[in-house]
Amino acid sequence: MPGRLFTAAALRNLAPNGSELPDLVLHRGSAAVPEYNNPDLMPGMYPTLFPAGTGGFEVSDRTCPISFQKQAEYYLDLADRSFRYHHSFLFVTLNIIQRRTAHLQTHFTVRRSKFEAVATKLVAVKSSVLQSVADHLEKEGKYNSLTGEQKAALDLLKHVNTIAARIPGSEAAKVFMRNEIRSYCGFFGLPHLYITLNPSAAHSPIFQLIFGDETIDLSKQFPILVSARERALRLAKDPVAGADFFNFCITSIFRYLFGWDYDKRESTPSGGILGKLESFYGSSE
């Protein structure tokens, strides 16, 4: 018999004799589940990954506190690859990290001449007014139909700019990187070499070894690999191994080919094929 799933509300309509008992009951409430400081969030969402109901994030009584991102990275590096192979854990975790970065790394800037006036008005604005303005705009309401308090809150947006330079992939982050590159050029001079590195995980025997294929013999010049289709499936199945491969390649190139010491953050005494590096700047797409 196929499994039957009922919500808590549907249970009230079941027969009293118990002949229609469900296999799974989903409870619901009027309030959203808190995303911050909620150790039961992940074990509740992924019972197959946390079968004992323990091991959640941001446990308050943990002896050694650990951040959400560091714990997520730890789970993805476990010998048991259930976390990295799960169909949604990666995406949900990344979404939470991105949301938190947006919440904690977004700042407002105002012209100095208008700072005092805007700061006074901004502190006085009520959250309920902002919510009502957002709902009004979502329904494509007209500006003239707003109340005076709502118009004042909306007019503040003309004087306030949002800065989110630390959110990866944001437009502000790209501007921040361009400014860093200009600063490098101003301090060290123009770069002498521009390179593009594009290591291919799908065709590399090193990735197959990182993936877990112990039949790969790196002592041979041309190791025997599985078919191209299987290599592509492995890369799609384990993006964490693909990221590890990319990091390994870039680090190895600069350490052994260009002679860069990552621990001391300077060129090695012997340098590399280009001599000693004074500095370098790189970004990944």
Side-chain angles (χ1 to χ4, degrees), residues 217-223:
D217 186 1
L218 295 182
S219 63
K220 295 182 179 180
Q221 184 177 4
F222 299 104

Side-chain angles (χ1 to χ4, degrees), residues 4-55:
R4 292 159 297 171
L5 185 149
F6 292 81
T7 63
L11 290 177
R12 293 191 292 268
N13 299 323
L14 296 178
N17 58 9
S19 60
E20 290 292 336
L21 290 179
D23 298 309
L24 180 63
V25 178
L26 297 182
H27 296 277
R28 65 179 183 180
S30 58
V33 177
E35 188 175 296
Y36 286 88
N37 301 316
N38 184 6
D40 297 328
L41 177 63
M42 286 299 185
M45 292 174 63
Y46 300 105
T48 58
L49 297 179
F50 302 90
T54 60

Side-chain angles (χ1 to χ4, degrees), residues 105-110 115 118 122 157 159-164:
Q105 301 296 338
T106 301
H107 310 279
F108 296 120
T109 60
V110 182
F115 180 80
V118 172
L122 192 61
L157 297 178
H159 307 290
V160 176
N161 297 317
T162 304
I163 303 298

